[in-house]
Amino acid sequence: MPQLAVDGAELTYDDEGPRDAGTAPLVFLHGWTADRHRWDHQMAHFAPHRRVIRLDLRGHGESSGTGARTIEDLARDVIALLDHLGVGRFVPVGHSMGGMTAQTLALAHPGRVERLVLVNSLGRMTYSRARGLLMAASTRVPFKLFVAANIRRAFAPGHPRHEVREYIRASAATPREVVMTLYSAMRAFDVLDRAGEIRVPTLMVHGYHDIQLPVRQMLRLAKDYEDAEVRVLDAGHELPVEKPAELTAVLDRFLDRPPARA
């Protein structure tokens, strides 16, 4: 598996598919405490006919490193990788924290982002007072319980328990510093007032049962986008693994959609 050294981290990534497909590469960005394998279904579907890139963000999965204090830090890692691979224009596909990173990329590098896909993501973390107190209290419990509570509630009711347990185990293997600093980074993330600056075609896919980042927060973001297509699926917060085939089909249709005429 290839790796790239970036600012004290070794980023593990996959770069598959034809280089001469005539389409912008897809760049898959996973969420908090996850890894690049969240996108296995999408990689298998798109790689035969399109270049696809995915990475473990620093400190996640098979990537080493700490030091990411903001979502902008993660975006800089992604750009460093794409520069290394010689990628100009691309289509970021981001889940949750990865969607925050994708928006940051679109705002910082508008000439390089051809289209944008946000999965279970939003533009600003917003809590009711009661939920804010609950989330603050959750950080005071033992680390593994904190991770388990957050991952367990990410899945819609009825998702197989053995799968949820496996995702909890994998998430708890993420270094504590990475988990907690990026948890704070997500809570501080706020690009909602800049949503109108993103003018590329954007697909927003959300789970109806998402209680981590409720669907109304995604809709609040969508109304300010110039060209946003919204799809809500029967799932929770972990759409890439709860409904992988449905998500891939929605993404496929969006990528095949001709660009709007000026």
Side-chain angles (χ1 to χ4, degrees), residues 16 181 184 197-198 207:
E16 302 177 7
T181 54
S184 296
E197 298 176 32
I198 298 178

Side-chain angles (χ1 to χ4, degrees), residues 32 68-74 97 100 125 178-190:
W32 179 68
R69 304 287 172 179
T70 66
I71 300 301
E72 287 81 6
D73 291 336
L74 298 179
M97 184 180 74
M100 299 176 191
M125 295 292 281
V178 173
V179 172
M180 302 311 295
T181 54
L182 288 177
Y183 178 75
S184 296
M186 289 190 294
R187 296 189 70 181
F189 177 75
D190 185 355

Side-chain angles (χ1 to χ4, degrees), residues 5-17:
V6 178
D7 292 335
E10 292 284 340
L11 302 180
T12 300
Y13 65 92
D14 299 312
D15 180 7
E16 302 177 7

Side-chain angles (χ1 to χ4, degrees), residues 48-255:
H49 56 87
R50 186 171 188 142
R51 188 177 184 182
V52 285
I53 299 163
R54 63 179 176 178
L55 73 153
D56 287 336
L57 298 171
R58 66 170 56 220
H60 291 73
E62 295 176 286
S63 289
S64 66
T66 58
R69 304 287 172 179
T70 66
I71 300 301
E72 287 81 6
D73 291 336
L74 298 179
R76 282 190 285 271
D77 283 350
V78 175
I79 285 295
L81 174 62
L82 296 180
D83 288 347
H84 170 72
L85 296 175
V87 172
R89 288 173 65 78
F90 62 99
V91 178
V93 182
H95 172 245
S96 192
M97 184 180 74
M100 299 176 191
T101 307
Q103 290 173 81
T104 302
L105 289 165
L107 289 166
H109 304 277
R112 295 181 68 171
V113 173
E114 183 174 281
R115 297 188 184 208
L116 177 63
V117 181
L118 307 177
V119 182
N120 293 102
S121 198
L122 40 65
R124 174 188 295 162
M125 295 292 281
T126 304
Y127 298 113
S128 66
R129 183 173 182 275
R131 185 164 179 252
L133 290 172
L134 176 64
M135 296 302 287
S138 70
T139 63
R140 300 177 185 275
V141 302
F143 174 66
K144 289 188 176 180
L145 289 179
F146 167 72
V147 172
N150 277 278
I151 301 305
R152 189 174 292 113
R153 69 198 302 272
F155 289 86
H159 195 80
R161 292 183 179 181
H162 71 279
E163 290 189 14
V164 176
R165 286 194 296 269
E166 181 56 29
Y167 287 118
I168 290 172
R169 184 202 62 76
S171 292
T174 310
R176 181 189 180 98
E177 180 185 350
V178 173
V179 172
M180 302 311 295
T181 54
L182 288 177
Y183 178 75
S184 296
M186 289 190 294
R187 296 189 70 181
F189 177 75
D190 185 355
V191 298
L192 191 62
D193 293 337
R194 299 186 63 193
E197 298 176 32
I198 298 178
R199 302 182 181 279
V200 297
T202 300
L203 173 65
M204 299 183 185
V205 193
H206 221 84
Y208 178 80
H209 303 285
D210 188 347
I211 61 174
Q212 298 281 62
L213 307 181
V215 66
R216 65 180 178 276
Q217 295 187 29
M218 180 271 291
L219 295 173
R220 184 183 182 192
L221 175 67
K223 69 181 181 60
D224 291 326
Y225 268 63
E226 183 175 284
D227 183 4
E229 176 181 334
V230 174
R231 293 288 181 269
V232 179
L233 303 182
D234 185 17
H237 183 67
E238 292 289 349
L239 253 177
V241 292
E242 289 183 75
K243 299 287 183 178
E246 291 182 32
L247 175 59
T248 298
V250 171
L251 178 55
D252 222 355
R253 289 192 293 271
F254 172 71
L255 295 171

